[in-house]
């Protein structure tokens, strides 16, 4: 069928619809206000050629300046904070608005043009002050970039710009300044210096050396915390430097020190400066704009008056850690972060990725178009593009490699990325779809580099995210990968990081597809290795399904009732009957444990077909579950967890899902799961063998910890809402009780309600406060059990059952150098150390709140010990809780 042929027949109705569509579109276009049109013109600057568009836009703004000054200022403010890669060209626009017209007319006739730039900056400054008051650090930093470019363009006075940067440097000298606040202030001051340092250095009020020294001192004071967030784990060294990664403030210091050594004589081609093409301004006719002095406001600390029952503050404040950005390519391929141009380009790419999180497709398009906003020769020209003359000073970096490196750098930030990991994974997918021939090779090289780092100490959490990205990315492109490259590594121990990566990647791909498809995608050598992929499909593995099992009949008697959707009371009666029978016929077994296992595995069996089947089974037989495990029966809860793990041992992903639902319905508590993990992960059949925590156990631990922390957060919000509601009710009661609402004086006889008094008058608030106290107690217990469990794994006391001789050797430098000969036990111990580090850094805000209580409980067994393992455990704890001297 030809869908392009002209329309015939029924013309009246079709013409009417066409006319209606036209009218709707026409009205929409007609109703777009002049202000909106002008604002869009500002925001869309440079869609074709920014150099040619800036003078045209400047002329347009000068014509509309009288009636649309607020619109102009708002448009520039939005553009600067949402399109930072265009900032140099908006600075060029302000330069034309600030100075005399270049049209050749008499200077006296261009005075309105000159005053327009000052009026726009006056209004822009109000917006900047608003960002500063809210401590919107990203927007503040972009405004600093704008002001720095305007300083170089002679629009802003050098002295006022130097004073502005000094105000941010002063934040670093505040007593007890947090790392997050100091880092953001340091970036504002340092990036302003990178752009405008050359002109500030030449001024009489130059303070560049003082600012650099302040940033350097602040960075040195935070050196200890860097070791805990390095993407390559260093258990044997406390060095703040690491291969394959650059720490953000370390790069800042390197750039500033190099600039200081050269007296800020960096080559002018580091970043675009289109305003330098214009003639110098006459200070007499176009005086520079003086930036007002500022004081960076302090951090806002919310005090909600909700201490825990132990006296600690239950309020959680997310701390920021040093940022290590993973390096996958050499400086010849991607921008060198220790140079001005390399640092600012990387900063631009990261900002674009962060800003456009709301639209990954637009982000991918803009990233691939980024070279148009850079100096010519910054990136290699695209194939088929216009030829460029060879320039010895050109960097010619690879754009796609730089983008992939920046995106993966975000994904691998520790302890957690700023956005959800799925965003970065989806962004890379969009980049590959837009330009598969150029982005694909960069992705392939990144995967190979990351895989090689697995044997060099790649952090366990980074390795886990690598598995997640690799498997999802392969699922988006037909699971096509050159698996045969990794066949030689099949001779490594089963728990070697490379073997672990392949096994977990295959497991994840099976969940995203199905067993047979992934099996066929693997080479024969991997298909035959049971430690790569199982010969059986993932699924349930009922322990009592075999007809020869002694409890087969009992299992099926319960299962038949559940399949027939019998009432919970009938099932409970049948279980009681079975228990009586087993009590009389078997005196040498733990009957209660057998009964719980039979009931749980029967329930899981009817729910194994799908997630909805499982939820329906849980909700239908909640009375049965609660009867099997009373809140105080810890053995019963342990049996339920063990039966679940045994049933889903061939599909471990389902164990985490079932555990989560058991916590949700309060069949088990997070503390029960933590205790079960550390008591049931010994290697082999020997109950006295070492306990190891690997990626699977960590995911279960994290689920329990997040559940406990999330409950406290919800309870806090509920208490806050009830308090606000009560305060509003009291205020309304006072107003309606004869108080003079118009009189602003406070009634001296009315005393503020105390917490206990207000709660007594509001039963809902009383209940909420009790719940909050109970949940904070549970939260502290979960954290304490987790910390105690890790201590018992890594530094067991002499009398502990689970001794581990390798916990000491894997943290010795000479042993690490001989890791090629490590066995499975050494690698599992090393991974346990990695998860302990991640636990401490990820949950440090909670651990700091309860640091005294937790350390007293967890470290009591190793108090006074001077063994290397005890010292390492305590050192990691001290760094995470901010107690290291």
């Amino acid at each position: 069928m030809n869908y392009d042929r002209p329309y015939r027949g029924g013309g009246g109705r079709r013409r009417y619809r066409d006319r209606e569509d036209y009218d709707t579109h026409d009205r929409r276009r007609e109703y777009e206000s002049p202000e909106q049109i002008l604002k869009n013109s500002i925001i869309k600057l440079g869609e074709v050629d920014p150099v040619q568009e800036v003078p045209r836009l400047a002329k347009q703004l000068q014509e509309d300046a009288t009636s649309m000054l607020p619109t102009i200022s708002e448009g520039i403010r939005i553009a600067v904070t949402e399109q930072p890669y265009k900032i140099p060209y908006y600075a060029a626009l302000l330069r034309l608005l600030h100075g005399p017209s270049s049209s050749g007319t008499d200077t006296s006739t261009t005075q309105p043009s000159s005053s327009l730039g000052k009026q726009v900056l006056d209004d822009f400054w109000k917006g900047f002050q608003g960002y500063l008051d809210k401590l919107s650090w990203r927007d503040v930093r972009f405004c600093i970039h704008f002001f720095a470019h305007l300083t170089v363009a002679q629009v802003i006075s050098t002295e006022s710009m130097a004073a502005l940067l000094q105000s941010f440097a002063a934040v670093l000298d505040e007593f007890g300044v947090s790392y997050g606040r100091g880092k953001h202030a340091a970036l504002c001051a340092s990036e302003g210096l990178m752009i405008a340092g050359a002109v500030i250095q030449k001024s009489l009020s130059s303070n560049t050396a003082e600012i650099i020294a302040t940033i350097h001192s602040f960075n040195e004071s935070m050196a200890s915390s860097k070791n805990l967030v390095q993407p390559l784990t260093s258990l044997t060294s406390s060095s703040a430097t690491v291969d394959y990664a650059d720490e953000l403030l370390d790069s800042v210091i390197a750039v500033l020190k190099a600039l200081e050594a050269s007296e800020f004589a960096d080559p002018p081609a580091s970043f675009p400066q289109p305003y330098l093409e214009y003639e110098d301004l006459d200070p007499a006719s176009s005086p520079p704009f003086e930036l007002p002095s500022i004081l960076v406001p302090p951090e806002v600390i919310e005090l909600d008056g909700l201490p825990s029952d132990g006296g600690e503050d239950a309020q959680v404040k997310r701390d920021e850690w040093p940022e290590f950005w993973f390096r996958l390519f050499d400086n010849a391929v991607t921008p060198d972060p220790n140079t001005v141009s390399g640092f600012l380009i990387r900063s631009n790419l990261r900002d674009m990725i962060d800003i456009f999180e709301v639209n990954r497709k637009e982000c991918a398009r803009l990233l691939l178009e980024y070279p148009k906003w850079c100096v010519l020769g910054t990136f290699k020209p695209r194939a088929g593009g216009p030829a460029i003359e060879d320039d010895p000073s050109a960097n010619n970096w690879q754009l796609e490699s730089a983008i992939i490196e920046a995106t993966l750098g975000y994904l691998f930030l520790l302890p957690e990325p700023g956005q959800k990991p799925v965003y970065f994974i989806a962004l890379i997918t969009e980049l590959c779809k837009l330009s598969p021939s150029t982005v694909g090779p960069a992705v392939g090289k990144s995967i190979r580099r990351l895989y090689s780092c697995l044997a060099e100490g790649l952090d366990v959490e980074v390795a886990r995210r690598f598995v997640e990205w690799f498997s999802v990315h392969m699922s988006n492109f037909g699971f096509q990968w050159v698996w045969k490259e990794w066949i030689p590594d099949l001779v490594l121990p089963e728990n070697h990081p490379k073997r672990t990566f392949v096994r977990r990647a295959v497991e994840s791909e099976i969940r995203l597809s199905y067993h047979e498809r992934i099996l066929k995608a693997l080479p024969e050598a991997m298909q035959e290795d049971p430690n790569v992929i199982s010969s059986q499909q993932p699924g349930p593995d009922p322990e009592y399904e075999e007809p020869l099992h002694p409890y087969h009949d009992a299992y099926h008697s319960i299962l038949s009732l559940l399949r027939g959707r019998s009432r919970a009371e009938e099932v409970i009666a049948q279980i009681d009957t079975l228990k009586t029978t087993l009590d009389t016929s078997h005196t040498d077994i733990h009957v209660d444990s057998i009964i719980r296992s039979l009931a749980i595995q029967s329930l899981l069996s009817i729910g194994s077909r799908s997630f909805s089947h499982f939820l329906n089974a849980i909700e239908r037989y909640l009375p049965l579950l609660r009867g099997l495990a009373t809140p105080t029966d810890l053995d019963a809860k342990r049996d339920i967890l063990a039966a679940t793990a045994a049933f889903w041992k061939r599909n471990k992903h389902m164990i985490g899902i079932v555990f989560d639902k058991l916590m949700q319905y309060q069949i088990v508590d997070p503390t029960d799961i933590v205790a079960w993990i550390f008591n049931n992960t010994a290697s082999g059949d020997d109950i006295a063998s070492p306990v190891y925590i690997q990626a699977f156990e960590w995911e279960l631990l994290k689920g329990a910890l997040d559940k406990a922390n999330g409950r406290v957060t919800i309870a806090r919000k509920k208490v806050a809402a009830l308090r606000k509601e009560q305060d509003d009710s009291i205020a309304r009661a006072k107003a309606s009780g004869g108080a003079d609402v118009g009189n602003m004086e406070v009634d001296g006889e009315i005393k503020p309600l105390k917490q206990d008094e207000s709660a007594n008058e509001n039963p809902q608030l009383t209940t909420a406060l009790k719940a909050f106290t109970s949940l904070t107690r549970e939260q502290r217990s979960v954290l304490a059990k987790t910390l105690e469990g890790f201590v018992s794994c890594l530094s067991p006391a002499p009398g502990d059952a689970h001794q581990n001789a390798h916990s000491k050797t894997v943290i010795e430098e000479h042993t690490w150098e001989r890791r090629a000969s490590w066995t499975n036990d050494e690698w599992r111990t090393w991974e346990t150390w990695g998860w302990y580090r991640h636990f401490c850094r990820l949950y440090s805000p909670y651990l700091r709140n309860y640091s005294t209580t937790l350390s007293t409980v967890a470290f009591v067994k190793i108090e006074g010990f001077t063994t290397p393992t005890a010292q390492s455990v305590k050192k990691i704890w001290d760094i995470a809780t901010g107690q290291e001297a």
Side-chain angles (χ1 to χ4, degrees):
M1 181 181 292
N2 183 6
Y3 290 96
D4 297 327
R5 66 189 182 191
Y7 179 77
R8 301 188 195 322
R13 181 171 299 179
R14 177 60 180 257
R15 283 196 300 271
Y16 178 80
R17 187 165 66 247
D18 288 348
R19 177 65 181 177
E20 184 179 27
D21 292 344
Y22 172 78
D23 288 345
T24 302
H25 174 74
D26 191 57
R27 285 196 301 270
R28 191 183 301 118
R29 183 178 58 188
E30 184 179 347
Y31 289 155
E32 192 173 49
S33 65
E35 290 81 3
Q36 190 62 45
I37 294 174
L38 183 62
K39 188 189 300 183
N40 289 339
S41 298
I42 296 172
I43 294 173
K44 294 179 179 179
L45 171 68
E47 294 292 329
V48 179
D49 187 344
V51 175
Q52 295 183 6
E53 291 178 32
V54 167
R56 289 201 299 265
L57 181 58
K59 183 177 180 180
Q60 179 184 353
L61 297 183
Q62 289 166 356
E63 294 172 352
D64 298 329
T66 305
S67 59
M68 295 191 185
L69 180 62
T71 302
I72 296 173
S73 300
E74 182 184 5
I76 294 177
R77 188 164 56 246
I78 291 173
V80 166
T81 54
E82 295 185 7
Q83 302 177 117
Y85 48 92
K86 294 184 182 181
I87 285 178
Y89 297 94
Y90 287 111
L93 177 64
L94 258 291
R95 162 65 180 79
L96 292 178
L97 297 180
H98 185 73
S101 173
S102 58
S103 59
T105 57
D106 185 71
T107 306
S108 62
T109 64
T110 62
Q111 188 59 33
S113 163
S114 184
S115 63
L116 175 58
K118 183 179 185 305
Q119 292 177 45
V120 170
L121 277 175
D122 276 329
D123 197 71
F124 188 94
W125 179 263
K126 296 176 185 176
F128 168 73
Q129 191 65 56
Y131 298 141
L132 191 62
D133 292 341
K134 293 184 295 184
L135 290 179
S136 181
W137 286 109
R138 188 181 71 186
D139 295 332
V140 168
R141 185 165 55 85
F142 293 159
C143 291
I144 295 294
H145 285 200
F146 187 51
F147 295 149
H149 280 287
L150 289 174
T151 303
V152 180
Q154 303 175 337
V155 176
I156 289 177
S157 72
T158 306
E159 292 75 14
S160 65
M161 185 64 198
L164 179 65
L165 299 182
Q166 184 62 53
S167 299
F168 286 99
V171 172
L172 308 181
D173 292 327
E174 293 175 352
F175 177 75
V177 60
S178 67
Y179 181 81
R181 176 178 171 85
K183 178 184 70 175
H184 292 301
L187 286 177
C188 290
S190 59
E191 292 184 3
L193 272 185
M194 291 179 197
I195 298 171
V199 294
I200 295 177
Q201 177 74 10
K202 297 175 183 177
S203 68
L204 297 177
S205 58
S206 174
N207 55 353
T208 55
E210 181 182 351
I211 294 175
I212 294 172
T214 302
I215 298 173
H216 184 265
S217 298
F218 172 78
N219 187 44
E220 290 295 313
S221 68
M222 300 295 175
S224 62
S225 60
K226 294 179 181 180
N227 179 264
L228 209 55
V229 288
Q230 293 172 346
L232 266 70
T233 300
S234 178
L235 297 176
T236 61
S237 171
S238 59
S239 173
T241 59
V242 64
D243 295 332
Y244 302 111
D246 294 295
E247 200 280 319
L248 185 62
L249 289 189
D250 285 347
S251 295
V252 165
I253 296 300
V255 172
L256 293 181
K257 289 290 186 181
L259 287 174
E260 186 179 34
S262 66
E263 297 184 350
F264 286 82
D266 197 64
S270 295
F271 46 85
Q273 295 175 303
Y275 39 78
L276 295 182
E277 300 298 322
Y278 308 142
E279 295 181 0
D280 290 344
L281 290 174
D282 183 2
S285 60
S286 301
F289 182 82
E290 296 289 337
L291 297 173
S293 59
I294 66 161
L295 182 65
V296 180
E299 290 180 292
V300 177
I301 302 176
E302 296 182 4
L303 299 175
D304 57 10
L306 288 177
S308 67
D309 61 343
E312 300 98 336
D313 181 17
Q315 178 73 25
V316 172
K317 179 184 178 298
R318 285 289 179 186
D319 292 321
E320 294 194 45
W321 290 81
E323 295 181 13
F324 276 91
W325 292 89
F326 211 96
R327 292 295 306 276
L328 298 168
F329 303 97
D330 298 333
N331 290 335
V333 179
T334 56
D336 181 0
N338 295 326
T339 63
V340 175
S341 55
F343 184 91
L344 292 177
I345 286 172
R346 286 180 175 273
S347 179
N348 258 342
L349 292 174
R350 292 195 289 257
D351 289 335
M352 293 168 71
I353 293 170
D354 188 34
I355 291 170
F356 288 94
E357 179 264 341
V358 295
N359 191 339
R360 67 181 187 277
K361 295 190 176 188
E362 183 70 5
C363 181
R365 182 185 67 82
L366 291 172
L367 286 171
L368 292 176
E369 293 178 356
Y370 178 65
K372 71 182 289 186
W373 306 104
C374 301
V375 175
L376 200 64
T378 300
F379 293 102
K380 283 185 178 180
R382 279 180 169 272
I388 299 177
E389 295 182 5
D390 291 337
D391 184 357
S393 64
N395 292 305
N396 288 325
W397 289 312
Q398 295 178 10
L399 173 66
E400 292 79 10
S401 297
I403 294 173
I404 295 300
E405 190 173 64
T407 307
L408 291 177
Y410 253 127
L411 177 62
F412 297 147
L413 274 182
L414 294 173
E416 54 187 344
Q419 311 283 1
K420 290 185 180 297
V422 68
Y423 164 59
F424 306 110
I425 296 172
L427 177 59
I428 293 176
T429 299
E430 295 299 330
L431 288 164
C432 290
K433 290 179 179 178
L434 282 178
S435 183
S437 61
T438 57
V439 178
V443 170
K445 292 175 183 176
S446 300
I447 292 173
R448 292 177 175 90
R449 174 60 65 90
L450 286 166
Y451 182 78
S452 68
C453 289
L454 287 167
E456 303 299 322
L458 189 68
D459 186 88
V460 291
E461 172 62 11
V462 175
R464 189 196 65 80
R465 294 182 206 166
F466 176 31
V467 169
E468 183 179 349
W469 166 56
F470 176 82
S471 57
V472 174
H473 188 79
M474 292 299 111
S475 73
N476 289 325
F477 296 96
F479 299 99
Q480 298 177 15
W481 180 249
V482 192
W483 292 97
K484 63 181 181 181
E485 294 181 0
W486 298 339
I487 289 179
D489 295 328
L490 295 180
V491 299
L492 297 171
E494 296 170 10
N495 292 104
H496 188 282
K498 289 185 176 181
R499 294 292 307 274
T500 301
F501 168 81
V502 172
R503 181 174 62 253
R504 298 196 72 239
V506 169
E507 290 174 357
S508 183
E509 288 187 357
I510 291 174
R511 292 202 300 269
L512 295 167
S513 181
Y514 55 93
H515 181 270
E516 186 178 357
R517 180 177 183 184
I518 303 304
L519 182 66
K520 291 180 178 178
L522 297 174
E524 186 176 353
M526 289 186 172
Q527 292 178 8
E528 297 171 353
D529 190 333
N531 292 305
V532 174
I533 186 169
S534 172
S535 58
Q536 293 179 297
Q537 293 187 11
D541 189 14
E543 187 178 351
Y544 310 102
E545 192 66 42
E546 289 294 328
L548 297 179
H549 197 285
Y551 303 117
H552 172 78
D553 293 338
Y555 170 72
H556 271 275
S557 67
I558 301 174
L559 187 59
S560 61
L561 290 175
L562 297 178
R563 286 174 175 170
R565 298 192 176 186
S566 300
R567 291 183 297 110
E569 293 78 8
E570 297 177 10
V571 180
I572 292 173
Q574 174 64 18
I575 289 175
D576 290 340
T577 303
L578 288 173
K579 181 178 178 182
T580 303
T581 303
L582 291 175
D583 276 334
T584 57
S585 60
H586 297 78
T587 58
D588 58 340
I589 63 170
H590 197 299
V591 174
D592 288 338
S593 294
I594 296 297
I595 289 295
R596 293 177 197 123
S597 179
L598 288 169
I600 292 299
Q601 294 210 19
S602 299
L603 190 62
L604 292 174
S605 182
I606 65 169
S608 62
R609 291 179 59 187
S610 68
F611 187 65
S612 59
H613 281 78
F614 169 67
L615 285 182
N616 290 336
I618 289 285
E619 292 173 359
R620 178 183 291 272
Y621 294 106
L622 269 179
L624 168 62
L625 287 168
R626 287 172 177 156
L628 291 173
T630 58
T632 57
D633 193 345
L634 300 182
D635 289 337
K637 295 179 179 180
R638 199 157 42 240
D639 290 339
I640 289 175
L641 297 174
T644 300
F647 184 86
W648 284 114
K649 64 183 178 182
R650 288 201 290 110
N651 190 359
K652 291 186 175 181
H653 178 65
M654 284 300 300
I655 298 176
I657 293 175
V658 176
F659 280 13
D660 179 72
K661 292 306 170 186
L662 292 175
M663 286 189 290
Q664 179 179 328
Y665 290 104
Q666 297 182 341
I667 307 302
V668 299
D669 297 324
T671 50
D672 301 320
I673 291 178
V674 172
W676 179 83
I677 290 170
F678 283 106
N679 291 327
N680 291 272
T681 53
S683 61
D685 297 327
D686 184 4
I687 60 173
S689 60
V691 175
Y692 303 111
I693 300 298
Q694 296 180 274
F696 167 68
E697 288 79 22
W698 168 252
E699 289 173 358
L700 298 182
L701 271 177
K702 186 175 185 298
L705 289 163
D706 289 345
K707 182 70 71 175
N709 296 332
R711 286 173 175 173
V712 172
T713 301
I714 293 172
R716 174 185 298 282
K717 291 179 179 178
K718 185 174 182 179
V719 171
L722 288 172
R723 280 184 168 174
K724 183 178 184 303
E725 182 181 335
Q726 177 164 305
D727 291 343
D728 293 342
S729 299
I730 294 173
R732 286 194 299 269
K734 290 178 181 178
S736 61
D740 184 6
V741 181
N743 187 357
M744 299 304 293
E745 295 182 2
V746 179
D747 188 350
E749 297 181 358
I750 299 178
K751 297 180 181 180
L753 281 171
K754 296 181 181 179
Q755 177 177 328
D756 295 338
E757 293 175 353
S758 63
N760 290 335
E761 296 179 10
N762 188 337
Q764 285 184 317
L765 182 56
T766 302
T767 303
L769 285 170
K770 289 181 179 178
F772 176 78
T773 302
S774 175
L775 291 172
T776 53
R777 190 183 303 118
E778 179 188 73
Q779 179 191 46
R780 188 170 61 252
S781 177
V782 172
L783 293 168
K785 281 187 176 296
T786 306
L787 181 60
E788 190 176 0
F790 273 116
V791 172
S792 65
C793 288
L794 299 171
S795 183
D800 286 355
H802 303 286
Q803 295 294 321
N804 188 345
H806 300 297
S807 61
K808 173 180 177 294
T809 58
V810 298
I811 60 174
E812 296 174 347
E813 187 170 0
H814 68 278
T815 308
W816 173 250
E817 296 299 329
R818 298 198 303 268
R819 61 188 178 277
S821 60
W822 279 9
T823 63
N824 284 324
D825 289 340
E826 278 115 338
W827 281 117
R828 282 186 287 190
T829 303
W830 180 85
E831 187 174 358
T832 304
W833 273 107
W835 289 122
Y836 171 62
R837 286 162 53 92
H838 188 55
F839 162 72
C840 289
R841 68 194 176 205
L842 181 62
Y843 294 103
S844 63
Y846 305 96
L847 300 178
R848 292 187 184 196
N849 283 344
Y850 307 123
S851 59
T852 303
T853 304
L854 296 178
S855 60
T856 301
V857 172
F859 297 142
V860 63
K861 290 184 179 181
I862 59 173
E863 189 65 36
F865 284 20
T866 58
T867 60
T869 54
Q871 291 179 338
S872 294
V873 166
K874 290 178 181 178
K875 180 179 180 181
I876 293 171
W877 166 262
D878 289 341
I879 294 174
T881 54
Q883 300 179 61
E884 189 180 45

